[in-house]
Amino acid sequence: MLRLFRYSGNKSKLISLYRPIPKGVTRVVEPYLGSGAFSLNTALPAVGYEINSELVAMWKWLKEATADELRELNELVESHKKRTLKPDVRDMGLDLGRQTYVRVNAASVVVGQLSSWKVYPQNSLPIEETIKCLPRLKDIEVIHGRGEAHQAQDRDLLFVDPPYIVTGKQIGRAHV
């Protein structure tokens, strides 16, 4: 199972419970991409829509990233952690894609919102897991925008994650 990064609402633990993709499907479409757990764990080309510009920047950086670049980023983050108890990601001189990758993995994520700039000492970047995902990323197109704008094509499989329920109220990304 491939898992690109830590993310609230990540469906990676549920992948084994989903039904197999029907024969004849040629592309997966995730109108609410987030961590892209479903798309990452199929062998089909995929299109994902994401409204969070920070996540889009991270996905686009990861699509071009190399294993060496990921390991260099890890070294940079670890060196900042050695100098400061909870270093601020904004002080690391990173572009938005790298910065967001650090935030979703080493800071805190609450209900899909980036809520902290501090790198927590107990958290580390999932570099080796991410490196395993790099070849798969080449087949996932990431579009900054709403999934409702998608024009379905024959043989598309639309994957919409289930609604999030909290005390009887619907929250999250369940509206299509």
Side-chain angles (χ1 to χ4, degrees), residues 14-26:
L14 301 176
I15 295 298
S16 64
L17 302 176
Y18 293 127
R19 292 181 181 162
I21 293 176
K23 290 181 179 167
V25 170
T26 58

Side-chain angles (χ1 to χ4, degrees), residues 50 54 58 62 129 144-145 151 166:
E50 179 58 56
E54 293 169 284
M58 180 191 62
L62 285 168
E129 285 182 21
H144 186 205
Q151 297 294 314
V166 175

Side-chain angles (χ1 to χ4, degrees), residues 3 5-8 54-55 58 73-74 77-78 81 85-92 94 98-126:
R3 183 174 166 196
F5 54 88
R6 247 176 23 124
Y7 194 72
S8 177
E54 293 169 284
L55 288 179
M58 180 191 62
L73 177 61
N74 190 53
V77 170
E78 291 303 316
K81 284 167 58 176
L85 179 60
K86 290 182 186 173
D88 191 309
V89 178
R90 294 170 288 196
D91 296 336
M92 296 182 186
L94 302 172
R98 287 173 178 83
Q99 187 180 74
T100 305
Y101 179 77
V102 172
R103 287 180 71 198
V104 298
N105 287 295
S108 65
V109 178
V110 178
V111 191
Q113 295 181 4
L114 297 165
S115 58
S116 177
W117 292 97
K118 300 294 182 183
V119 175
Y120 289 82
Q122 70 272 21
N123 295 338
S124 59
L125 300 179

Side-chain angles (χ1 to χ4, degrees), residues 1-156:
M1 188 214 26
L2 294 176
R3 183 174 166 196
L4 188 55
F5 54 88
R6 247 176 23 124
Y7 194 72
S8 177
N10 185 332
K11 302 294 181 269
S12 61
K13 292 180 182 175
L14 301 176
I15 295 298
S16 64
L17 302 176
Y18 293 127
R19 292 181 181 162
I21 293 176
K23 290 181 179 167
V25 170
T26 58
R27 182 173 69 165
V28 171
V29 178
E30 278 195 75
Y32 307 102
L33 185 63
S35 72
F38 189 80
S39 291
L40 278 170
N41 287 283
T42 70
L44 296 172
V47 175
Y49 290 83
E50 179 58 56
I51 61 171
N52 184 318
S53 60
E54 293 169 284
L55 288 179
V56 171
M58 180 191 62
W59 270 94
K60 290 190 176 193
W61 170 68
L62 285 168
K63 285 176 63 69
E64 302 298 323
T66 65
D68 287 342
E69 289 172 321
L70 284 160
R71 289 185 182 109
E72 287 171 14
L73 177 61
N74 190 53
E75 288 175 19
L76 174 73
V77 170
E78 291 303 316
S79 71
H80 277 268
K81 284 167 58 176
K82 287 177 184 172
R83 289 189 299 243
T84 307
L85 179 60
K86 290 182 186 173
D88 191 309
V89 178
R90 294 170 288 196
D91 296 336
M92 296 182 186
L94 302 172
D95 62 42
L96 185 59
R98 287 173 178 83
Q99 187 180 74
T100 305
Y101 179 77
V102 172
R103 287 180 71 198
V104 298
N105 287 295
S108 65
V109 178
V110 178
V111 191
Q113 295 181 4
L114 297 165
S115 58
S116 177
W117 292 97
K118 300 294 182 183
V119 175
Y120 289 82
Q122 70 272 21
N123 295 338
S124 59
L125 300 179
I127 299 302
E128 296 308 315
E129 285 182 21
T130 304
I131 289 170
K132 289 177 189 172
C133 295
L134 293 180
R136 178 69 189 117
L137 289 172
K138 306 298 183 212
D139 288 333
I140 300 173
E141 179 185 0
V142 179
I143 298 171
H144 186 205
R146 298 191 169 280
E148 293 92 346
H150 178 71
Q151 297 294 314
Q153 297 177 14
D154 285 345
R155 300 183 182 177
D156 277 356

